Amino acid sequence: MLLCNVFRHIGPLPPDTAFISSRRREIDGYICMYHDQALIPLKTLAILCKSLATMQHSGVSLLKTLEIASRKTGDAKCRRTIEAVREEVRQGTDIAEALRLQQGYFPELMIDMVSVGEQSGALPEVLDGLASHYENITRLRRMLIGRELFAATT
């Protein structure tokens, strides 16, 4: 447990253990970082959404966009997953459903928003918004961790 001048804190904690009654006596409050339990790292997700949005805005076909994005990512698991999404889309599956078929790799928020973008014809704009959202979460997480480290050392 880290102690700082303002409040006691520990973590990160998995949600299923953070709220048990014995733990509540140890904790003054909770700071929650939103991430809906997807397997893809947030930074990778932000970069992926931005890349997809840029290519879609430029008029690149969805299949070509997915092909390029899979080659561009440095994360091997992400590369294989995007290739699987591309294959599903090539076979006629909607992109949102193809993302959903990846068994929790992509966050539900992303899947739902991509579905809306696909149905409304605003997929590039939706992907841009998702990129900004995940970039902000990544930035806030870095800032919070930096402040915790500063508080722990003072």
Side-chain angles (χ1 to χ4, degrees), residues 67-84:
E67 178 187 335
I68 293 168
S70 71
R71 281 189 278 133
K72 183 178 175 183
T73 184
D75 184 313
K77 169 94 171 128
C78 186
R79 183 179 309 112
R80 289 189 304 272
T81 305
I82 296 170
E83 288 168 356

Side-chain angles (χ1 to χ4, degrees), residues 46-76:
I47 293 167
L48 175 63
C49 288
K50 190 57 152 177
S51 297
L52 295 174
T54 300
M55 288 185 271
Q56 285 285 284
H57 272 301
S58 299
V60 178
S61 75
L62 184 57
L63 286 174
K64 190 67 174 171
T65 295
L66 291 168
E67 178 187 335
I68 293 168
S70 71
R71 281 189 278 133
K72 183 178 175 183
T73 184
D75 184 313

Side-chain angles (χ1 to χ4, degrees), residues 34 36 45 49 95-97 99-100 106-131 133-134:
Y34 173 77
D36 55 3
L45 184 58
C49 288
I95 187 170
E97 184 58 29
L99 293 170
R100 188 170 276 111
F106 296 101
E108 284 297 318
L109 173 66
M110 178 186 182
I111 295 168
D112 292 343
M113 292 302 294
V114 165
S115 179
V116 168
E118 205 170 21
Q119 293 171 16
S120 67
L123 186 57
E125 292 81 4
V126 166
L127 289 166
D128 256 337
L130 285 168
H133 172 71
Y134 292 119

Side-chain angles (χ1 to χ4, degrees), residues 1-4 7-11 23 25-28 152:
M1 176 162 55
L2 294 173
L3 296 177
C4 70
F7 59 91
R8 297 174 295 152
H9 59 285
I10 57 175
R23 178 78 53 169
R25 287 187 291 275
E26 302 171 19
I27 299 173
D28 295 324

